[in-house]
Structure formats: C-alpha cells, structure tokens
Amino acid sequence: MGELVLAARGLSRQFGGLAANKDVSLDMHRGELHAVLGPNGAGKSTLINLLSGDLPPSGGQILYRGQDISGWSPDRRSRAGIGRSYQRTNIFPAFTAFENCRLAAQSRTPRALHVFSRAQNYDDLRSAADRALEQAGLAARRDVVAATLSHGEQRQLEIAMVLATAPSVLLLDEPLAGMGSEESQLMVSLLQKLSADHAILLVEHDMDAVFAVADVITVMVTGQVLESGPPDQIRSSLAVQEAYLGGGEPDDE
C-alpha cells in the first residue's frame, strides 16, 4: 500500500434536514484506485464535491498528506495537487486538444496571464501539455479541434487537462458516462495505467468497469458507508446485494 495521500474522517454534509453524507470515512493511497458505488440517493457525487472543495462539509475532516484542508477553496486544493473531472465534459470545444491542455498547465503558473513573457515558460507549458496528452492516449490527436473529437476522446481530453496540472490525486466523476463498449475498454485501460502513479477516487455506475479496475470499493447507501474492501469482498457481500436489489440501479447521485 502506497502513501496515504487523501483521507475523509467522519465527513458529513447537511442540506436542511437531509444528510447527503453522514460520518463518511475513507482513505486514498498512491498507487491505488478507490471506487465508490451506491444505489439511488447514496451521496456519491456529494462526497466527490466535498473532497474537491466544491461543497463545504457540515462536519468531519478532509486530510491531504496529513493536513486538514476542510476549509480550503477548490482552487487551493487544485494547486496543491488534487485534480478532478466532472460528470459533464468540461473542455474548450473551439480549441485544439493541445491548446486545452496548455491552458490547464498555464493555470498552475504564478502569473498565468503573463506566462508567455519568457520563452522558457512557454516551452515548459508545451512540454506539460504534450506529456498530459501522451499519458491520456491522445498524442496522435494533439492538433484536432476538441469539438470534433469523439465523446470518448473528449472524456480522455478532460482527464489530460487534469493531468496537465500535475496532480497527485485524481477525483473522477463518472468518466465512462455515455461511452460505448470499445471506448469504455480504452478508458478502463487508461485508469489502470494512471493508478500506478496517482491516488484515484472513481465514482462510476458501470459495475463491470469498477470491478475490473478497482483495488478498493466503498459502497454507500443513504449517505453512509455500508461496506468497504477489496472487490471480492464487495462482490460476495449480502448487505451490498440487498442494498442494490432494494434500491434499484446506481445513478449519479
């Protein structure tokens, strides 16, 4: 087991009288892909929003390399090395794949709007963008306008943009959504490759993909952790089977 990079401790989030997350704890280690599953209304998207800073917690702690970051903004978390993708593809459609990644890399410079004042800065950004595209399997599509990429390639590009920011943590919210079988297989292969050097949290409804790629699976029901462990343990769990049979198919909650 690699370094403990990101952890939730007793994490909760209230929306009025509704507890979207209640006393949720989990660990994310470098070199490990940790998947989160759950039936309708489980609170999966709320959890990833809490970890990324898009929502403030009502209680509990978020620890990054041992430091409490519960009050940090999304931007500060991103600059520290916590990157995330969203359910809906979030790219610049009029720009090329390379330009998308270069902009993402540029956002990490101390003076992002003045970065081209030095040739070395520009070279560094080009290198970061090309490296991210290579990691995401899009090097051959470098100069293609993003809007003309396939849906699967656009999802890869979004991950490439996150990689261009040099994160140690990847929070991925349904990266396989809307993909066909071939595209899903490519994404699973990409996730397996990225998990070697990152701590990854994967929120995903594609059960086959999750069990193929995950090292650890946490199952949530009504905002709480029902069970957490390796895939074989989760697959054989009667409590997990009852939660899915009683709650219907997983969704994007």
Side-chain angles (χ1 to χ4, degrees):
M1 188 175 295
E3 173 196 6
L4 177 60
V5 185
L6 189 66
R9 295 288 180 261
L11 201 58
S12 299
R13 172 66 192 192
Q14 293 283 141
F15 293 100
L18 172 67
N21 275 185
K22 183 178 180 182
D23 196 27
V24 175
S25 295
L26 57 78
D27 294 336
M28 294 178 60
H29 295 88
R30 186 175 185 271
E32 180 180 87
L33 192 148
H34 193 141
V36 178
L37 294 175
N40 296 346
K44 304 182 296 293
S45 289
T46 298
L47 174 60
I48 205 169
N49 285 333
L50 290 171
L51 294 174
S52 67
D54 290 314
L55 283 175
S58 302
Q61 289 183 309
I62 301 166
L63 303 175
Y64 179 64
R65 302 188 186 279
Q67 182 177 3
D68 188 349
I69 64 167
S70 306
W72 287 17
S73 67
D75 178 68
R76 187 177 179 186
R77 295 185 200 198
S78 178
R79 289 181 180 275
I82 301 174
R84 74 159 294 179
S85 68
Y86 292 83
Q87 288 181 16
R88 295 185 178 181
T89 306
N90 189 20
I91 59 176
F92 298 101
F95 295 165
T96 66
F98 169 76
E99 289 168 338
N100 271 269
C101 288
R102 188 183 64 196
L103 284 170
Q106 183 177 333
S107 70
R108 292 300 168 264
T109 60
R111 300 177 66 199
L113 295 180
H114 304 282
V115 71
F116 299 124
S117 61
R118 291 177 53 200
Q120 184 60 50
N121 287 341
Y122 183 67
D123 289 341
D124 290 345
L125 291 179
R126 289 175 61 89
S127 296
D130 282 328
R131 185 166 54 249
L133 289 169
E134 179 70 31
Q135 286 180 284
L138 287 177
R141 307 289 277 166
R142 178 186 190 276
D143 298 317
V144 176
V145 174
T148 66
L149 295 171
S150 70
H151 172 70
E153 289 173 331
Q154 289 183 2
R155 299 298 281 178
Q156 287 175 258
L157 176 57
E158 185 172 21
I159 291 178
M161 292 172 67
V162 177
L163 293 172
T165 68
S168 56
V169 173
L170 297 174
L171 306 174
L172 306 179
D173 199 351
E174 297 198 18
L176 284 84
M179 288 189 181
S181 176
E182 184 175 345
E183 289 180 327
S184 293
Q185 290 175 7
L186 289 173
M187 181 60 74
V188 166
S189 296
L190 173 60
L191 294 177
Q192 289 173 324
K193 181 176 69 173
L194 294 177
S195 67
D197 297 313
H198 299 85
I200 299 180
L201 186 79
L202 173 67
V203 171
E204 183 54 62
H205 70 274
D206 187 327
M207 299 284 286
D208 291 337
V210 166
F211 279 97
V213 76
D215 299 299
V216 178
I217 298 175
T218 291
V219 179
M220 295 180 64
V221 175
T222 60
Q224 297 177 283
V225 173
L226 175 66
E227 191 163 344
S228 187
D232 287 345
Q233 173 187 326
I234 299 302
R235 193 189 301 273
S236 61
S237 169
L238 292 178
V240 171
Q241 293 173 22
E242 290 174 1
Y244 273 98
L245 289 173
E249 292 298 320
D251 71 353
D252 60 356
E253 296 296 324

